[in-house]
Amino acid sequence: GRLLALTLSRDGNPEIYTMDVRSGALNRLTRNAAIDTEPAWMPDGRSIVFTSDRGGSAQLYKIPAAGGSAQRLTFEGKYNAGADISPDGRRIAMVHGERGRYRIAVLDLDSGRMRVLTDGSLDESPSFAPNGSMIIYATGAGNREVLAGVSVDGRFRQRFSLQAGNVREPVWSPFGK
């Protein structure tokens, strides 16, 4: 709780930084002509997953929180962005885009295997449940944006009905909240 990860364009190009909450001191982690954005902490606090187009299209990368070299994590598809990490740090949920469709996918970090879990055309903003078994996300249904959920194995899917309004960027609370 003493560091924040953020995207900052202070030098004209979006880069990933950490900021010490008490002092306000910044530590620049990325140095690339590409756009680096959407940082997400790994649960152990040692590294950060972020989206970058440094390989020619939006893909996920991981970098040590103290700085160092970025490691590319995703290789399937032309677009992988918006990472959310499972509470145990073993999986990463993301928006996976291919052929004009954007779906929720999960990357197993142990095996490197990616699995597309949803079948919508514009599924976005995945968020893991505190126990890691489900992912909620926003998706289109007719002319509305609704809340949906999928199990991490893709077998169970559900749309949640809300009386009015559009759902955007849902996030699951931690245990006990």
Side-chain angles (χ1 to χ4, degrees):
R2 65 178 185 81
L3 291 176
L4 296 176
L6 55 123
T7 301
L8 189 58
S9 300
R10 70 187 280 173
D11 297 323
N13 186 54
E15 301 287 354
I16 304 299
Y17 287 77
T18 56
M19 183 179 83
D20 185 290
V21 175
R22 288 186 202 120
S23 70
L26 292 168
N27 181 29
R28 183 173 170 176
L29 300 181
T30 61
R31 296 182 186 283
N32 196 289
I35 295 172
D36 298 332
T37 189
E38 300 179 319
W41 286 96
M42 291 295 289
D44 65 7
R46 294 187 201 168
S47 55
I48 296 168
V49 175
F50 64 98
T51 303
S52 179
D53 65 352
R54 63 184 61 197
S57 66
Q59 298 296 330
L60 298 181
Y61 292 79
K62 183 168 85 169
I63 193 164
S69 296
Q71 169 194 4
R72 186 169 169 174
L73 298 175
T74 55
F75 295 91
E76 291 181 44
K78 295 185 188 263
Y79 181 92
N80 293 292
D84 188 62
I85 294 94
S86 65
D88 63 9
R90 296 178 58 205
R91 295 182 188 96
I92 299 175
M94 71 200 75
V95 177
H96 172 77
E98 198 159 19
R99 291 186 283 257
R101 297 183 69 140
Y102 296 89
R103 299 174 174 164
I104 304 302
V106 169
L107 174 67
D108 182 291
L109 291 173
D110 293 334
S111 69
R113 182 171 175 244
M114 182 186 291
R115 170 186 250 160
V116 176
L117 302 178
T118 65
D119 58 5
S121 60
L122 187 56
D123 300 335
E124 58 188 359
S125 303
S127 175
F128 272 100
N131 67 6
S133 66
M134 295 285 296
I135 298 167
I136 58 169
Y137 61 98
T139 188
N143 62 351
R144 291 189 58 213
E145 295 174 45
V146 299
L147 180 65
V150 63
S151 60
V152 294
D153 62 8
R155 287 193 214 163
F156 176 76
R157 295 181 188 157
Q158 181 174 356
R159 287 209 174 144
F160 301 94
S161 88
L162 301 170
Q163 296 300 320
N166 288 310
V167 172
R168 301 287 300 168
E169 302 178 21
V171 178
W172 221 306
S173 72
F175 279 121
K177 302 293 176 207

